[in-house]
Amino acid sequence: MAFRDLSLGVIGGGAMAEALIAGILHQQLYLPEQIAVSEPQATRRAHWVERYGVRTTDCNQDVTAAVWLLLAIKPQVFLEVAGSLTLPLGARGVVSILAGVSLATLTKTFVDTPVVRAMPNTPALVGAGITALAAGDGVTHVQLNQVEAIFQAVGQVVRVPESSLDAVTGLSGSGPAYVALMVEALMDGGVAAGLPRDLARQLVLATVSGSVQLMVQENLQPAQLKDRVTSPGGTTIAGLAVLEQAAVRGAFIAAVLKATARSRELGQN
Ligand SMILES: NC(=O)c1ccc[n+]([C@@H]2O[C@H](COP(=O)([O-])OP(=O)(O)OC[C@H]3O[C@@H](n4cnc5c(N)ncnc54)[C@H](OP(=O)(O)O)[C@@H]3O)[C@@H](O)[C@H]2O)c1
């Protein structure tokens, strides 16, 4: 039976839904009883109840009478799930975090209902994500502010036109993997230079996180930070010269372009 008085109905109780709801409850944006999660796996439903005290169901239709219906399933099951739903009259809005499902498709599926696409990234799991929002026609400022508040519970939020979402996916969506690859490579460098791996990991993580904090807190451009640590004839310029010879900059640019193109391609399937 459909739940009443819901602020947030969630379809798909997986990793990203959990990150969001943990953040929302931590920030006390909604109370547990205002949230319901529809999830096919009984063990996952039990986890949701024990850990967060939210309402759960295995019937997607049960959560549709919410102020916001959040789609957090894999894109591959979107058609099957959407085809089985009937939104109640006057449904207030649908938010989708599904990569590649366009506003046009959402609007066609949920007729006369405001729809918003959101592209969060994995650091949301520790409250340090960044989410890009693209709103469909007819979404009011008040509604968009509500959606923004949901995603602010797990980090920063930016608003973009839908045409930018593929680039966002290729940059901040895929970005954690690029950073992980860079961290791993630097660790290997430390090991090659004779450091134990654990120590190399600690040094790299603190260096990456500290450099980011420095750029954010002092509003420094990357070039300014680079120039500050690069003394004439010193160690850093020797290292940087090797990176430039290996065209690392060009490789990162090409990686973002390729990931953007792949996101666009997947969205057309
Ligand atoms: N993780 C990220 O960094 C990230 C970033 C941006 C966007 N996204 C998007 O977020 C969405 C979810 O990603 P995720 O990482 O959270 O995936 P996930 O952990 O696999 O979550 C999907 C959940 O949906 C459930 N589910 C499957 N079929 C269902 C159905 N018919 N009805 C209701 N629930 C169903 C799954 O249950 P079972 O396990 O039983 O199949 C699972 O719990 C994806 O569309 C992805 O594109 C994720």
Side-chain angles (χ1 to χ4, degrees):
M1 207 182 62
F3 293 123
R4 301 260 151 246
D5 304 321
L6 284 184
S7 298
L8 189 63
V10 181
I11 298 189
M16 194 44 85
E18 181 162 355
L20 271 172
I21 286 168
I24 288 167
L25 293 175
H26 183 70
Q27 306 240 320
Q28 299 181 327
L29 183 63
Y30 303 132
L31 297 168
E33 54 270 29
Q34 293 176 288
I35 300 174
V37 177
S38 175
E39 159 64 39
Q41 266 191 59
T43 50
R44 282 292 295 167
R45 288 199 300 279
H47 169 77
W48 278 102
V49 173
E50 277 156 32
R51 183 102 187 240
Y52 303 103
V54 298
R55 297 195 253 179
T56 61
T57 175
D58 63 355
C59 172
N60 292 335
Q61 186 62 32
D62 285 351
V63 303
T64 52
V67 175
W68 287 102
L69 178 64
L70 175 71
L71 302 180
I73 44 175
K74 294 282 189 204
Q76 302 88 291
V77 294
F78 170 72
L79 287 179
E80 174 202 324
V81 168
S84 67
L85 294 178
T86 313
L87 292 201
L89 278 180
R92 294 229 233 137
V94 173
V95 184
S96 163
I97 61 169
L98 279 56
V101 177
S102 68
L103 285 173
T105 301
L106 292 167
T107 305
K108 207 165 67 187
T109 311
F110 304 106
V111 181
D112 291 335
T113 306
V115 293
V116 178
R117 278 184 72 182
M119 180 48 61
N121 67 355
T122 321
L125 297 168
V126 291
I130 184 155
T131 302
L133 296 181
D137 293 340
V139 176
T140 66
H141 279 297
V142 172
Q143 287 172 322
L144 200 50
N145 286 342
Q146 285 172 355
V147 176
E148 189 165 289
I150 290 173
F151 289 93
Q152 271 171 346
V154 290
Q156 301 178 49
V157 176
V158 291
R159 298 181 186 186
V160 300
E162 186 181 31
S163 57
S164 296
L165 277 186
D166 290 314
V168 167
T169 305
L171 183 57
S172 57
S174 306
Y178 310 150
V179 173
L181 180 138
M182 193 184 76
V183 165
E184 194 180 35
L186 289 171
M187 279 170 58
D188 284 345
V191 172
L195 299 174
R197 186 162 286 278
D198 279 357
L199 177 60
R201 178 176 184 273
Q202 188 181 357
L203 290 168
V204 175
L205 289 181
T207 304
V208 170
S209 144
S211 306
V212 170
Q213 283 179 48
L214 189 57
M215 283 187 278
V216 171
Q217 283 177 27
E218 295 197 10
N219 198 21
L220 287 183
Q221 289 299 328
Q224 290 174 296
L225 174 55
K226 174 179 73 67
D227 291 354
R228 269 195 199 181
V229 289
T230 311
S231 52
T235 58
T236 309
I237 194 66
L240 285 172
V242 174
L243 293 175
E244 296 294 8
Q245 269 163 12
V248 168
R249 235 178 248 265
F252 275 113
I253 294 171
V256 175
L257 288 175
K258 192 77 177 176
T260 303
R262 183 68 182 136
S263 170
R264 197 170 295 126
E265 198 176 282
L266 289 173
Q268 278 158 4
N269 291 335

